[in-house]
Amino acid sequence: MSLGPDEFDLDPTLCHLNHAAVGPWPRRAAEAVSRFSEENSRLGSLHYPRWLATEHRLRERLARLVGADSATDIALAKNTSEALSIIAYGLTWQPGDEIVGIAQEFPSNRVVWESLATRGVAWKALDLDGSADPETDLFALCTPRTRMIAVSWVQYARGLRLDLARIGAFCRANGILFCVDAIQGLGALPFDLSRADVDFVVADGHKWMLGPEGLALLYVRPSLRHTLVLHQFGWHMLEHSGNFDRRDWEPAEDARRFECGSPNLLGVHALEASLAVIEEVGIEQVWRELQLRTAHLIEGIDRHGLELLSPRSTERRAGIVTFRVPGRPAAEIYPELMQRRVLCAQRGGGIRFSPHFYTPFEVIDRALGEVLSLAAH
C-alpha cells in the first residue's frame, strides 16, 4: 500500500476491531478538521467558497465510490436513518403495498418500513436463520403487491453479504424498487451502481469510510428523484439557492433537493479527507487487504476452537467476523474485552470483530490472545 506509516495514529495499547460500529479517523481527517476550526476561529467565513469547493470534492468522491454518473447525483444527509426516511416518506404508497426485507436488520432499516403500517403498507421479513439462499428466499416473499425490496448490503451482526446484482436484476424484471443500506460495505468493498442496478443507496460515513458521525450519502436514481414527495424545505434545496430575494421557487433538479438547510461543513472536511485516503489506496486494494485480515482472523478462530458465526465463503463475507466462545456467554466476554482495550462489539449472539485494510495482523493476534485468556478462566 502507498500509505505512510503515520496515516493512522491509534493508541498502540488499543486493539481497534470495531469499524462496523464507529471507525477511527485517519490522521489527515483530524488535521483537516483542526485546520478548518482554526481558520474559522481566526478568519470567520472569509474562505467560505473554499469550504464549498471541499464539499464538492466530497460529492465527487462519493459519486466515484458508488459509481454514480455525477457529483450532482449525491445528496448529503445527516445520517442513514434520515436518508431512509426521506425515501420511505417520499414514495407514494397505496394500502396493501408490500416491502420485503430481512428480520435481522439493524433497526434503522427495519423501523422506518414498519412505521408505514399506518398507511396500510406491510413489511415482510425473511428470517436469515432459516435461509440457505437468502436471495431466493427474498424473491419467494414477493407478490404482485410487492413495491420494494429494502435490505442492507452487509448484515451488521454477522456480516452476511448479499448479492446485489442478483437482487437488482430480479427487481428490474418484476418492476420492484430496490433500496440498499450500504453502510457496512462502502469504504471496504467495491460498489458499482451499473452492476447492482439499485434505485436508492444510503450510508453514513462513520464506519468503513472512516469519517465522522452526522454525515451520510443519499443516492436516488435520477429518474426517480422527482417521484419522491418532499417533506423538508429550506433555502439550500432550491434551484436558485443563492438568490435570496427571489420570491418564486422550485426544488433543485439535482440531488440537492433533498438537503433543506446549511451543510455540515465540519463533517464535510473530515469525510472528504478520509475518503482521500481510501481513494489513494484504491478500493480494490482496500478490499484485497481486508480479505487477508478477515481470512487471518477466521483461521485463528478455527485454530483455537472458537465458533465462527459469520459466513465462511468469501462470496458471502465482508469485513465483519462474529464468533462465539464455547461455554462463555458473549455478554460476559464483551465487557472484559473492552476493559482489556480490545475495541469490539456484542452482536449476533457473539463477539463481533471488524478490522479494516490497515489493521496490523499483530493487533488481530493480540485480540484473539485476550479472548483465549478470558476463555481459560
Side-chain angles (χ1 to χ4, degrees), residues 40-281:
N40 206 323
S41 66
R42 292 183 60 248
L43 301 175
S45 60
L46 176 64
H47 295 305
Y48 200 88
R50 192 165 67 196
W51 301 351
L52 294 181
T54 301
E55 182 197 45
H56 184 70
R57 285 199 307 274
L58 171 60
R59 293 179 198 269
E60 290 178 325
R61 294 191 192 280
L62 289 168
R64 289 192 291 270
L65 192 63
V66 299
D69 290 336
S70 169
T72 60
D73 293 331
I74 303 300
L76 301 177
K78 290 193 290 292
N79 45 58
T80 306
S81 298
E82 181 188 56
L84 287 169
S85 293
I86 289 170
I87 297 164
Y89 283 86
L91 290 167
T92 302
W93 302 95
Q94 299 297 326
D97 283 347
E98 300 171 348
I99 302 166
V100 170
I102 289 174
Q104 289 83 359
E105 284 283 1
F106 190 76
S108 296
N109 204 14
R110 172 177 52 81
V111 172
V112 68
W113 310 118
E114 289 178 324
S115 74
L116 293 171
T118 59
R119 302 189 178 193
V121 179
W123 181 72
K124 300 168 67 175
L126 170 67
D127 184 353
L128 287 176
D129 290 339
S131 176
D133 184 348
E135 290 81 14
T136 295
D137 292 339
L138 281 169
F139 303 158
L141 287 176
C142 295
T143 74
R145 295 306 306 267
T146 301
R147 183 89 182 279
M148 174 185 283
I149 292 179
V151 294
S152 290
W153 181 17
V154 177
Q155 289 295 308
Y156 82 102
R158 295 187 176 183
L160 173 72
R161 174 160 55 105
L162 295 179
D163 186 340
L164 298 187
R166 185 180 172 196
I167 300 173
F170 174 85
C171 289
R172 201 62 54 228
N174 290 276
I176 297 172
L177 295 170
F178 187 20
C179 179
V180 173
D181 177 350
I183 195 171
Q184 293 293 3
L186 282 185
L189 295 81
F191 185 97
D192 188 352
L193 280 166
S194 66
R195 289 192 64 251
D197 211 2
V198 177
D199 295 302
F200 309 102
V201 181
V202 301
D204 210 318
H206 67 270
K207 298 185 187 292
W208 303 93
M209 286 188 270
L210 303 170
E213 293 182 283
L215 191 59
L217 156 84
L218 167 61
Y219 168 85
V220 177
R221 185 186 294 273
S223 62
L224 294 174
R225 277 204 292 258
H226 289 75
T227 68
L228 294 186
V229 178
L230 300 175
H231 296 281
Q232 300 180 94
F233 296 87
W235 73 273
H236 192 261
M237 47 82 71
L238 303 180
E239 180 65 24
H240 304 283
S241 59
N243 188 347
F244 303 133
D245 295 325
R246 184 167 177 156
R247 299 305 300 270
D248 63 309
W249 61 271
E250 57 185 347
E253 288 293 315
D254 61 22
R256 190 165 45 81
R257 68 193 287 115
F258 304 117
E259 306 171 10
C260 64
S262 298
N264 173 10
L265 287 175
L266 185 68
V268 162
H269 279 75
L271 185 55
E272 193 276 332
S274 294
L275 288 180
V277 172
I278 291 172
E279 279 202 320
E280 286 178 20
V281 177

Side-chain angles (χ1 to χ4, degrees), residues 28 34 54 150 279 330 338:
R28 75 176 71 178
S34 179
T54 301
E279 279 202 320
M338 293 292 286

